[in-house]
Amino acid sequence: MTTQAMPMTAHPDPLLRPGNTNCAGCGMSLGLHWIDEILGSERPYLVIPACCGIVTAGAYPTSAYGVPTAAATFASAASYATGIATVAALNNEHHPVICWTGDGGTYDIGLATLSAAAERNEDILYICYDNEIYGNTGGQRSSATPEGVVTTTTPRGKGERKKNMMAIMAAHRVPYAATLSVAHREDFLRKVRTALSTKGFRFLLMLSPCPTGWKSEPDQSVELIRAAVGCGIFPVFEVFDGDRYVINVPRDGTPIEDYVEKQRRYSGLAADPSRLRAQIDDQWRMLERMIHSGRPHV
Ligand SMILES: Cc1ncc(C[n+]2csc(CCOP(=O)(O)OP(=O)(O)O)c2C)c(N)n1
Ligand code: SF4
């Protein structure tokens, strides 16, 4: 893994401008503002597929994004970003290229080109804001939706567990992959800084509160993510070169009920707290195996 120096002075035109269409309490808003803080005066190129993130932009010729933004198809987002990064490098331009995508575009519809770009170690930063549904089209299930969650296509609760996207990215041996919590600001900022200063393919996965789809209160978004981290359903960790795992925030025994009872989506048949607790323990056993079997992080 090699790193490059980064500037930190704020840019007068924000990455996400006021007047955008994000719902109140949407994780995208906070995530984009914090990413902008780390970008400082540096301006990225954004590539966004057909998710809520591109609805946010609004109608041409206006835009809620203060940087050049390309709207891609789901299947092409990572390859589109690869093309932009390649041309920028040929022109000696030093703009980070950021793919900003939902879980539908990442876990499902865009997975083939995401995998291809990761395998080629393209010099792009791929960020998934994972709201665990297809939000933009009315809240259908995705392979990121947890078991037991009610969506418009799983009215009795989803029957399958959430796909382990971090394990998939680690299997590509990308230089840097990390999870982001909007309830842990310093950790979030540090990881965005690390990702931006790393060369090659970087993957960040942010659990993104979505009051509309989660049937939660907008003013509880950050506290929900704090509970998700505390109970262990969303582990906060990073992976270097696919095999050096570091846990950044240990789970602290927060009851799973503190997370699920504040969201009406957790009302399916399998959304039973003891079942969820067993899945969390299973997930942490796997993480701990990865920490002990990988090279130590220095
Ligand atoms: C190939 C393709 N399939 C389906 C759609 C319809 N579609 C538009 S947005 C969307 C859901 C996107 O979900 P996600 O990527 O998780 O982002 P979110 O809307 O939750 O922000 C779908 C299925 C599409 N535009 N293209
Ligand atoms: S539906 Fe969810 S992800 Fe989409 S803008 Fe609203 S809160 Fe954000």
Side-chain angles (χ1 to χ4, degrees), residues 21-28 52-53 56 129 131 133 135-136 208-213:
T21 58
N22 284 352
C23 308
C26 177
M28 279 201 292
C52 281
T56 309
Y129 67 91
N131 62 7
I133 43 157
N136 178 23
S208 193
C210 171
T212 310

mmCIF file of all heavy atoms in Angstrom, residues 21-28 52-53 56 129 131 133 135-136 208-213, ligand 2:
data_model
loop_
_atom_site.group_PDB
_atom_site.id
_atom_site.type_symbol
_atom_site.label_atom_id
_atom_site.label_comp_id
_atom_site.label_asym_id
_atom_site.label_seq_id
_atom_site.Cartn_x
_atom_site.Cartn_y
_atom_site.Cartn_z
ATOM 1 N N THR A 21 -32.375 16.843 -2.519
ATOM 2 C CA THR A 21 -33.642 16.142 -2.271
ATOM 3 C C THR A 21 -33.540 15.021 -1.231
ATOM 4 O O THR A 21 -34.489 14.251 -1.070
ATOM 5 C CB THR A 21 -34.186 15.532 -3.580
ATOM 6 O OG1 THR A 21 -33.188 14.640 -4.095
ATOM 7 C CG2 THR A 21 -34.519 16.590 -4.605
ATOM 8 N N ASN A 22 -32.393 14.898 -0.544
ATOM 9 C CA ASN A 22 -32.295 13.829 0.466
ATOM 10 C C ASN A 22 -33.373 13.993 1.535
ATOM 11 O O ASN A 22 -33.659 15.108 1.977
ATOM 12 C CB ASN A 22 -30.924 13.858 1.157
ATOM 13 C CG ASN A 22 -29.824 13.290 0.277
ATOM 14 O OD1 ASN A 22 -30.106 12.746 -0.782
ATOM 15 N ND2 ASN A 22 -28.585 13.427 0.713
ATOM 16 N N CYS A 23 -33.932 12.871 1.994
ATOM 17 C CA CYS A 23 -34.912 12.923 3.089
ATOM 18 C C CYS A 23 -34.207 13.402 4.362
ATOM 19 O O CYS A 23 -32.989 13.241 4.516
ATOM 20 C CB CYS A 23 -35.477 11.531 3.388
ATOM 21 S SG CYS A 23 -36.115 10.633 1.983
ATOM 22 N N ALA A 24 -34.973 13.931 5.299
ATOM 23 C CA ALA A 24 -34.410 14.299 6.603
ATOM 24 C C ALA A 24 -33.860 13.042 7.277
ATOM 25 O O ALA A 24 -34.484 11.986 7.216
ATOM 26 C CB ALA A 24 -35.505 14.922 7.472
ATOM 27 N N GLY A 25 -32.684 13.175 7.855
ATOM 28 C CA GLY A 25 -32.091 12.041 8.568
ATOM 29 C C GLY A 25 -31.399 11.036 7.666
ATOM 30 O O GLY A 25 -30.965 9.978 8.139
ATOM 31 N N CYS A 26 -31.255 11.347 6.373
ATOM 32 C CA CYS A 26 -30.598 10.417 5.438
ATOM 33 C C CYS A 26 -29.096 10.362 5.722
ATOM 34 O O CYS A 26 -28.440 11.402 5.823
ATOM 35 C CB CYS A 26 -30.834 10.889 4.007
ATOM 36 S SG CYS A 26 -29.982 9.868 2.783
ATOM 37 N N GLY A 27 -28.554 9.151 5.789
ATOM 38 C CA GLY A 27 -27.123 8.987 6.057
ATOM 39 C C GLY A 27 -26.250 9.577 4.969
ATOM 40 O O GLY A 27 -25.107 9.971 5.237
ATOM 41 N N MET A 28 -26.764 9.654 3.747
ATOM 42 C CA MET A 28 -25.969 10.210 2.649
ATOM 43 C C MET A 28 -25.534 11.635 2.944
ATOM 44 O O MET A 28 -24.425 12.039 2.588
ATOM 45 C CB MET A 28 -26.791 10.230 1.355
ATOM 46 C CG MET A 28 -26.848 8.929 0.638
ATOM 47 S SD MET A 28 -27.271 9.210 -1.087
ATOM 48 C CE MET A 28 -28.947 9.769 -0.992
ATOM 49 N N CYS A 52 -30.652 6.611 -5.026
ATOM 50 C CA CYS A 52 -31.089 7.887 -4.429
ATOM 51 C C CYS A 52 -30.019 8.958 -4.614
ATOM 52 O O CYS A 52 -30.337 10.141 -4.763
ATOM 53 C CB CYS A 52 -31.335 7.717 -2.933
ATOM 54 S SG CYS A 52 -32.899 6.950 -2.524
ATOM 55 N N GLY A 53 -28.757 8.546 -4.595
ATOM 56 C CA GLY A 53 -27.648 9.495 -4.718
ATOM 57 C C GLY A 53 -27.673 10.293 -5.997
ATOM 58 O O GLY A 53 -27.152 11.414 -6.039
ATOM 59 N N THR A 56 -30.649 12.841 -5.840
ATOM 60 C CA THR A 56 -30.180 13.980 -5.051
ATOM 61 C C THR A 56 -29.684 15.121 -5.927
ATOM 62 O O THR A 56 -29.856 16.294 -5.593
ATOM 63 C CB THR A 56 -29.015 13.513 -4.138
ATOM 64 O OG1 THR A 56 -29.430 12.365 -3.434
ATOM 65 C CG2 THR A 56 -28.573 14.587 -3.179
ATOM 66 N N TYR A 129 -22.956 3.605 0.220
ATOM 67 C CA TYR A 129 -23.823 3.999 1.350
ATOM 68 C C TYR A 129 -24.908 2.924 1.391
ATOM 69 O O TYR A 129 -25.751 2.819 0.525
ATOM 70 C CB TYR A 129 -24.375 5.434 1.170
ATOM 71 C CG TYR A 129 -25.329 5.615 0.031
ATOM 72 C CD1 TYR A 129 -26.705 5.466 0.212
ATOM 73 C CD2 TYR A 129 -24.877 5.905 -1.249
ATOM 74 C CE1 TYR A 129 -27.593 5.601 -0.845
ATOM 75 C CE2 TYR A 129 -25.758 6.041 -2.316
ATOM 76 C CZ TYR A 129 -27.104 5.890 -2.104
ATOM 77 O OH TYR A 129 -27.978 6.003 -3.157
ATOM 78 N N ASN A 131 -28.030 1.383 2.664
ATOM 79 C CA ASN A 131 -29.267 1.570 3.441
ATOM 80 C C ASN A 131 -30.075 0.266 3.480
ATOM 81 O O ASN A 131 -31.214 0.258 3.932
ATOM 82 C CB ASN A 131 -30.111 2.732 2.898
ATOM 83 C CG ASN A 131 -30.560 2.500 1.484
ATOM 84 O OD1 ASN A 131 -30.363 1.416 0.941
ATOM 85 N ND2 ASN A 131 -31.179 3.489 0.865
ATOM 86 N N ILE A 133 -31.636 -1.479 1.366
ATOM 87 C CA ILE A 133 -32.808 -1.669 0.486
ATOM 88 C C ILE A 133 -32.598 -0.936 -0.839
ATOM 89 O O ILE A 133 -31.682 -0.126 -0.950
ATOM 90 C CB ILE A 133 -34.136 -1.098 1.067
ATOM 91 C CG1 ILE A 133 -33.889 0.265 1.701
ATOM 92 C CG2 ILE A 133 -34.888 -2.054 1.914
ATOM 93 C CD1 ILE A 133 -35.119 1.098 1.790
ATOM 94 N N GLY A 135 -33.899 1.879 -2.101
ATOM 95 C CA GLY A 135 -34.690 2.985 -1.550
ATOM 96 C C GLY A 135 -35.422 3.788 -2.600
ATOM 97 O O GLY A 135 -36.615 4.101 -2.465
ATOM 98 N N ASN A 136 -34.718 4.085 -3.661
ATOM 99 C CA ASN A 136 -35.188 4.960 -4.718
ATOM 100 C C ASN A 136 -36.440 4.448 -5.427
ATOM 101 O O ASN A 136 -37.259 5.229 -5.909
ATOM 102 C CB ASN A 136 -33.979 5.054 -5.663
ATOM 103 C CG ASN A 136 -34.154 5.860 -6.874
ATOM 104 O OD1 ASN A 136 -34.990 6.726 -6.918
ATOM 105 N ND2 ASN A 136 -33.340 5.590 -7.857
ATOM 106 N N SER A 208 -25.921 3.258 6.174
ATOM 107 C CA SER A 208 -26.529 4.564 5.935
ATOM 108 C C SER A 208 -27.979 4.598 6.397
ATOM 109 O O SER A 208 -28.860 4.001 5.774
ATOM 110 C CB SER A 208 -26.461 4.860 4.431
ATOM 111 O OG SER A 208 -26.761 6.201 4.178
ATOM 112 N N PRO A 209 -28.250 5.289 7.515
ATOM 113 C CA PRO A 209 -29.633 5.325 7.994
ATOM 114 C C PRO A 209 -30.562 5.908 6.934
ATOM 115 O O PRO A 209 -30.217 6.874 6.250
ATOM 116 C CB PRO A 209 -29.561 6.223 9.233
ATOM 117 C CG PRO A 209 -28.259 6.929 9.154
ATOM 118 C CD PRO A 209 -27.339 6.093 8.330
ATOM 119 N N CYS A 210 -31.740 5.301 6.820
ATOM 120 C CA CYS A 210 -32.711 5.686 5.788
ATOM 121 C C CYS A 210 -34.087 5.695 6.460
ATOM 122 O O CYS A 210 -34.797 4.692 6.449
ATOM 123 C CB CYS A 210 -32.649 4.658 4.661
ATOM 124 S SG CYS A 210 -33.943 4.809 3.419
ATOM 125 N N PRO A 211 -34.450 6.820 7.111
ATOM 126 C CA PRO A 211 -35.713 6.840 7.864
ATOM 127 C C PRO A 211 -36.914 6.414 7.024
ATOM 128 O O PRO A 211 -37.828 5.761 7.539
ATOM 129 C CB PRO A 211 -35.842 8.309 8.291
ATOM 130 C CG PRO A 211 -34.450 8.843 8.277
ATOM 131 C CD PRO A 211 -33.729 8.095 7.187
ATOM 132 N N THR A 212 -36.884 6.734 5.733
ATOM 133 C CA THR A 212 -38.018 6.377 4.862
ATOM 134 C C THR A 212 -38.162 4.857 4.736
ATOM 135 O O THR A 212 -39.266 4.319 4.840
ATOM 136 C CB THR A 212 -37.814 7.027 3.478
ATOM 137 O OG1 THR A 212 -37.523 8.409 3.683
ATOM 138 C CG2 THR A 212 -39.025 6.875 2.584
ATOM 139 N N GLY A 213 -37.063 4.186 4.514
ATOM 140 C CA GLY A 213 -37.110 2.736 4.323
ATOM 141 C C GLY A 213 -37.047 1.959 5.631
ATOM 142 O O GLY A 213 -37.574 0.855 5.733
HETATM 143 S S1 SF4 B 2 -35.093 7.035 0.657
HETATM 144 FE FE1 SF4 B 2 -33.502 6.688 2.207
HETATM 145 S S2 SF4 B 2 -31.500 6.707 1.096
HETATM 146 FE FE2 SF4 B 2 -33.098 7.632 -0.232
HETATM 147 S S3 SF4 B 2 -32.904 9.856 0.163
HETATM 148 FE FE3 SF4 B 2 -34.528 9.048 1.529
HETATM 149 S S4 SF4 B 2 -33.472 8.532 3.467
HETATM 150 FE FE4 SF4 B 2 -31.893 8.784 1.862
#
